[in-house]
Structure formats: C-alpha cells, structure tokens
Amino acid sequence: MREWQKETVYQIYPRSFQDSNGDGVGDINGIISRLDYLQKLGIGLIWLTPMYRSPGNDNGYDIADYYQIDPVFGTMEDFENLLNEAHKRNIKIIMDMVLNHTSNENHWFQEALKSKDNPYHDFYIWKDPVDGHEPNNWVSKFSGSAWKYVPELDQYYLHLYDVTMPDLNWRNEKLRNKIFKMLKYWAAKGIDGFRLDVINNISKAKEMPNDTFVTPLDDGRNFYTNGPHVHEYIHEMYEKVFGPNNFVTVGELSSTPISEAIKYTNPDRQELSMAFTFHHVKVDYTNGNKWTLGQYKLSDLTRVLSEWQVKMNAHGGWNALFWNNHDQPRAISRFTNDTKYRDQSAKLLAMVEFGLQGTPYIYQGDEIAMKNAYFTDIKQYNDHESINAYNELVKNGVAEETAIKILQQKSRENARLPMQWNSQRNYGFTTGQPWLKPLHHDDYSVEKVLKMKNNIFDFYRALIFLRKHKEILINGQYKLLNSQDNSVYSYERINNKGKILVMANFTDQMQERKIANGFDLLLGNYEGIKLNKDTVTLRPYESVMLEK
C-alpha cells in the first residue's frame, strides 16, 4: 500500500475559492487563509488548477508562460509561502500541468509563427492545406474545425481545444526536453506532484486521416486519444521527473478504455499514480451527445462504476474517484436532489464515492452541498465551451429557453461559482465584484453548514477518517449487488478480515432491501437507521455503510 492511497485530495479552482484583495478573483493568499479549514476537513493533498501566466481564454488551461505565476493570483513568493504553509499542516500540493497545448501567446508559438524555418515552428503541429482547405475533418472539443489557417505561412495548425490553444508536437525531442526541464523547475520548488491535463492526447497518429462521424465519438479522437507513443512519453517523464521526486500524479484520461487506464496506472509500468476517467459522468448523455436534456438510469451508472472497480483492481490499476470537478456540473443537481433532500443527497454521493477503491477527490463546495448555478441568461456565462455550445444549439433550431436548460444541466460553469463561505455579500468570497457573479439563489455556506447538527462537512470528515483507518476500503475486493436495481446502489468491499456493505437509495421513495445477517452500522446519512435482522429500509436518498 502506498501512503497516498489512504489520503483524500481536495481540488481548488483558485479563481473561485477565496479572494484576498477585493479584485473579484480568488488568489493564492486567499487559499493560504483557508488552509486551517482544509486541515480541519482532514484532506492530505490539494490539487490546484492552473495559476500560470495566461490570457485566460480557457481559465488558465491556456498557458502563456510555464515559469510564471499569473499576477491575478499573486507572486512566486506567495506561491512559495503557500507551499510552506501547506506542508506545515502535512498537506501536499499537486499542481495542474497542461502539456498537450499552450496559449497562442506563449513565446514558443510566437516564434513558431515567424517562419517555417524557425526552430520553434516544429514545437507545434502544422499541416499544409489539402485541396485548399483543412488537412482533415477533425472537430475541436470547443466545436468547429480543429485546424486554424495562418495565411502568412500557408499552413494550418492543430488545436484540439480552443483556437487560441495550439497543440504541441511531442514527436520533437527538443520540445520534450524543454518540458522536462520545466517540470524539474517546479519539482525544485518543492511541490508534491502533478495533475496532467488531457495527457492521453499528447501523441497523435503520424498519418492524420479523416474520421467517419458514424457516432459522436468518431470526430478525430480515434487518431489522437491514447496515441502510438503516449506511454513511452509518460514513462520518460516518470524516469526524469516523477520517480526521482516521489511525485503523486494523476492523469486526465478522457475517452479511455479500462485496458489503457490500467497501463497508465499499474505501478510496474512507471507512468502515473492514478487515472481520472469520465465514463460515469457521461451516463446522462443522449446517444453520446453531451448537449441534451439527458436522463440517466441508475443501473447504467452502477454498471460503469463497477466495471472500472473490478477490472482496475484485478490488473493493478488505480482509480481517481470523483463526482465533481471544474469541468463537470454539480452531481447533487445531476444525479440526486438538491432541494428537499439536499443534505441527504450530498452525504449519499460522498458515501458512495468513499466506499469505492481508489483515491477520493473532493471538489471545493462538495463538503457544503453546493449545487448548480442555474443561470437563466447566456450573458451570465463566461465559459467558451458553454457559449459555443449554446450558439450551436440555437443555430440548429433549439429554442433559446431549451438551450439554457441544457446549460443549466450540463455546463461546467455550474461548478465554477465562487465558494460560499458565509451569508455576507458575495458569500464572503470577495469584497469586490466577483469574476463570475453568483445569483444568491442559495442560502448554504460554510458558516451555515458548520452550525448544523450532523452536517455534511462533518460527514466528510468521518469518511476521510474511515479511509485512513479501514484497510478494507483500500485493498478490499469490490462486488456489485443486483446490477439491475434502478433505485438502490448496493455494493460490498471484501477482504480476509471482513466485509463492508454500502447501500444508497437514489430515489425519493422508501426502499426495502434484504441483507445478510451480522452487519452492524458503521455510518449513515440519517438519524435512526432502520436496520432489522435481515432487511434494511432506506428512506429517500438514504445511504448506509454497514460492516461485519
């Protein structure tokens, strides 16, 4: 067992966490001011989304300078202070790193634009026009073509994401060495690991043929997801940076099958510590299409979670467990009930996650049951992906009102609302105008929740404690009970010392289920659990963790 496998990670989206200077944007000193709060919660690692110098077209995932802290967040001295203060509290810091692409304002790309002979030109992926148009039909994740024409060079550059974010050419050894040098710079600062953004896209097929569009997934990704050299590139990073520094690393692996995720995370291969995969948060995509008013079946959700639990465990892989992050709408609004049964729903999701095998991640606000933004006007959105999706929907004949409802359900902006600290103006996030304006539709805050009896914050603390002290939650085998149940998710964790049973009622109706004899209550999200000799009666959104 590796030490970090018992820990819990807390993801901070710095822009929305805590503003210390009144400019409306969260910053490093704001994070420092809340470290005692995070220590009280019991987390062992913080994952910080990017704080490098950036024009902000993708909220920091478009890096203009890998070596500089963006002034909107503070200074390098502030960052070093954050490292020191976190480490004093036995909290490790994982930095987000984007190695698939840079900002078009990055020095490398500015040089690449000067001429085809410039040494930096080959740091990016360029293709000549084909019959006067794009080299192929690949689609950007942000909609539209994945290619941008530069008339001065009579070439297209590849951008799998925003047009201002050109993809790097990992086949170029000089580029790789520049990247390794930069990673070592941050290692020398004393950080404890990296979360690697869209890392499974860094190796593109040498030939770049058209894709088929037979399904929404046949949009080009067949030729760059988990590409031909991705594992050797990551192993090279491990040998030069991750291994020597004993780093904790997590790769974002969208559209990745289990067989590949095992390769990325099996320690014998020396690549990554764990994997973020997203199949479970796509179960409400209609025919694979995200931008729809989707519904989900619990049996689909449990099937996906279970498949990853069983197969990753069997082959030495390791999951990063999550419901929420900066790119996902709030799970409490998506999968459960964020009104009448809000507290129970938040605790249910937490229990289901923490009972699984893998490293659990809490996204800021999970611990106080934050919910979706429910913006009512496209003007309230900042996120390029959401705005592009809205425009595309309306262009294709979807009513504006319906398009807004789709964004209310699916937009990642839902997770980017400023953290709700207290009942003051802007929830105590800032004394100025927040970069993303909350609607004050919600009376939940840290201040309020901490005063509640049996609150969600303390429930998370209990789960974090259990993971540190119950070995079965780390190494126990996973077993799904009743795969066809569309109301209650029941699973067991089993080792040679005993068994833990998790049961979660994902409905607003009472549910009764049979259980084997001999189980005792370990934790529940209601008072007065109705546990009989061989049955358990679950109230709306009730969850229990039983042990024998």
Side-chain angles (χ1 to χ4, degrees):
M1 186 190 303
R2 289 154 284 172
E3 192 60 31
W4 51 264
Q5 291 179 320
K6 297 190 295 184
E7 297 292 349
T8 298
V9 186
Y10 188 95
Q11 182 192 353
I12 290 178
Y13 193 66
R15 180 174 294 273
S16 295
F17 192 61
Q18 178 68 72
D19 175 23
S20 71
N21 60 6
D23 67 356
V25 179
D27 49 42
I28 295 170
N29 285 326
I31 297 169
I32 293 170
S33 74
R34 299 296 184 180
L35 287 175
D36 287 343
Y37 166 82
L38 298 176
Q39 185 181 31
K40 181 181 178 183
L41 184 58
I43 60 108
L45 303 96
I46 292 171
W47 156 27
L48 299 165
T49 57
M51 298 192 296
Y52 316 96
R53 193 170 68 75
S54 165
N57 289 316
D58 192 24
N59 281 5
Y61 283 89
D62 48 326
I63 298 175
D65 190 333
Y66 283 110
Y67 288 90
Q68 299 295 323
I69 296 291
D70 195 299
V72 74
F73 297 118
T75 65
M76 187 63 77
E77 187 179 359
D78 294 333
F79 180 75
E80 291 165 352
N81 189 27
L82 169 61
L83 277 177
N84 290 333
E85 291 298 321
H87 288 160
K88 278 183 197 173
R89 294 164 174 82
N90 294 316
I91 297 173
K92 296 181 185 296
I93 297 288
I94 296 174
M95 289 188 77
D96 215 321
M97 185 54 71
V98 188
L99 302 177
N100 178 71
H101 49 263
T102 69
S103 165
N104 61 355
E105 294 184 18
N106 192 291
H107 167 72
W108 298 348
F109 192 70
Q110 289 299 305
E111 287 293 312
L113 287 172
K114 290 181 178 177
S115 78
K116 295 178 185 178
D117 298 327
N118 189 290
Y120 288 94
H121 188 75
D122 193 46
F123 275 30
Y124 296 87
I125 296 172
W126 298 89
K127 291 287 182 185
D128 294 332
V130 174
D131 299 329
H133 55 75
E134 293 87 353
N136 64 34
N137 64 359
W138 295 3
V139 175
S140 161
K141 303 283 189 185
F142 285 20
S143 75
S145 171
W147 297 94
K148 171 68 175 174
Y149 184 61
V150 178
E152 295 80 6
L153 298 173
D154 190 29
Q155 279 190 316
Y156 288 86
Y157 67 81
L158 180 69
H159 62 93
L160 294 181
Y161 297 86
D162 192 69
V163 68
T164 64
M165 292 150 59
D167 279 53
L168 290 164
N169 176 20
W170 273 74
R171 291 179 183 274
N172 185 324
E173 186 179 359
K174 289 180 180 175
L175 166 76
R176 296 202 303 276
N177 287 332
K178 285 267 192 185
I179 286 173
F180 302 149
K181 180 182 177 184
M182 177 270 296
L183 297 176
K184 289 174 183 175
Y185 168 83
W186 288 107
K189 288 281 180 191
I191 69 166
D192 304 288
F194 288 116
R195 180 266 187 187
L196 297 158
D197 186 64
V198 297
I199 193 65
N200 61 323
N201 292 343
I202 60 174
S203 175
K204 282 76 173 174
K206 194 164 190 177
E207 303 301 324
M208 294 184 164
N210 287 327
D211 214 333
T212 63
F213 292 105
V214 169
T215 75
L217 303 180
D218 300 313
D219 58 359
R221 73 187 72 184
N222 292 313
F223 303 104
Y224 61 75
T225 304
N226 308 311
H229 301 289
V230 65
H231 292 289
E232 65 191 72
Y233 294 153
I234 294 175
H235 178 65
E236 195 174 2
M237 278 190 274
Y238 180 95
E239 285 190 316
K240 294 184 175 176
V241 186
F242 306 159
N245 290 287
N246 197 28
F247 271 1
V248 178
T249 54
V250 54
E252 183 189 26
L253 309 178
S254 186
S255 303
T256 293
I258 297 175
S259 57
E260 286 293 319
I262 290 165
K263 292 179 187 176
Y264 286 112
T265 61
N266 185 314
D268 294 340
R269 292 177 58 89
Q270 299 185 327
E271 294 186 31
L272 302 172
S273 307
M274 54 188 135
F276 276 127
T277 59
F278 302 90
H279 303 267
H280 68 295
V281 288
K282 295 181 179 180
V283 294
D284 60 353
Y285 287 15
T286 307
N287 298 321
N289 185 357
K290 173 179 179 176
W291 298 106
T292 57
L293 284 173
Q295 302 295 320
Y296 84 99
K297 281 169 54 180
L298 182 62
S299 57
D300 289 339
L301 180 62
T302 61
R303 173 182 49 78
V304 172
L305 290 172
S306 300
E307 188 178 10
W308 280 84
Q309 285 288 295
V310 171
K311 291 183 179 177
M312 288 286 271
N313 179 287
H315 299 283
W318 194 258
N319 291 295
L321 306 169
F322 73 98
W323 287 114
N324 298 306
N325 62 36
H326 64 289
D327 278 338
Q328 297 292 331
R330 293 279 182 182
I332 192 172
S333 303
R334 186 177 189 178
F335 297 121
T336 54
N337 182 300
D338 66 7
T339 52
K340 183 177 179 181
Y341 298 106
R342 182 172 183 175
D343 287 10
Q344 293 91 340
S345 291
K347 291 176 182 179
L348 175 147
L349 290 169
M351 180 178 284
V352 167
E353 176 186 347
F354 275 71
L356 297 172
Q357 185 180 55
T359 296
Y361 283 68
I362 299 171
Y363 178 67
Q364 61 185 51
D366 287 354
E367 76 280 13
I368 59 163
M370 280 183 68
K371 62 182 180 179
N372 277 355
Y374 295 114
F375 287 146
T376 56
D377 191 314
I378 193 61
K379 292 174 185 170
Q380 294 167 299
Y381 287 85
N382 280 35
D383 174 44
H384 284 217
E385 184 195 40
S386 301
I387 294 166
N388 290 349
Y390 173 87
N391 291 334
E392 193 82 11
L393 287 165
V394 171
K395 187 176 85 174
N396 290 333
V398 175
E400 291 182 9
E401 182 183 355
T402 303
I404 287 293
K405 284 182 179 174
I406 292 170
L407 263 60
Q408 286 178 345
Q409 186 187 74
K410 295 288 177 58
S411 169
R412 60 189 187 174
E413 203 88 289
N414 286 299
R416 298 179 178 185
L417 280 181
M419 183 70 176
Q420 294 165 194
W421 293 106
N422 56 41
S423 58
Q424 298 170 18
R425 181 171 170 267
N426 297 321
Y427 295 106
F429 162 70
T430 181
T431 56
Q433 283 293 109
W435 75 274
L436 182 63
K437 193 161 179 60
L439 294 181
H440 291 276
H441 64 298
D442 189 9
D443 65 346
Y444 269 49
S445 67
V446 171
E447 181 182 59
K448 177 176 178 174
V449 167
L450 288 180
K451 290 176 182 174
M452 292 177 173
K453 188 181 177 186
N454 301 319
N455 63 65
I456 177 63
F457 182 92
D458 286 339
F459 195 80
Y460 266 105
R461 290 183 71 195
L463 287 167
I464 291 169
F465 179 86
L466 283 174
R467 277 194 58 86
K468 287 181 178 176
H469 294 90
K470 294 278 184 188
E471 194 175 300
I472 189 172
L473 291 174
I474 310 301
N475 64 18
Q477 298 294 309
Y478 170 95
K479 181 182 178 184
L480 174 65
L481 306 179
N482 193 353
S483 63
Q484 301 307 308
D485 196 329
N486 274 304
S487 300
V488 177
Y489 180 17
S490 304
Y491 66 84
E492 291 178 339
R493 299 292 305 283
I494 307 158
N495 69 8
N496 56 8
K497 295 177 182 174
K499 193 180 282 189
I500 280 179
L501 169 62
V502 174
M503 304 183 80
N505 177 10
F506 276 75
T507 77
D508 60 2
Q509 304 295 312
M510 298 276 279
Q511 303 286 339
E512 187 173 281
R513 295 292 183 275
K514 290 188 179 300
I515 59 169
N517 290 334
F519 278 105
D520 295 315
L521 179 68
L522 192 58
L523 191 64
N525 68 343
Y526 271 81
E527 290 185 323
I529 306 295
K530 294 184 173 69
L531 184 62
N532 300 318
K533 186 178 179 184
D534 58 357
T535 62
V536 60
T537 301
L538 299 169
R539 287 159 284 190
Y541 298 98
E542 183 166 10
S543 60
V544 293
M545 185 178 281
L546 310 175
E547 182 181 37
K548 75 171 180 178

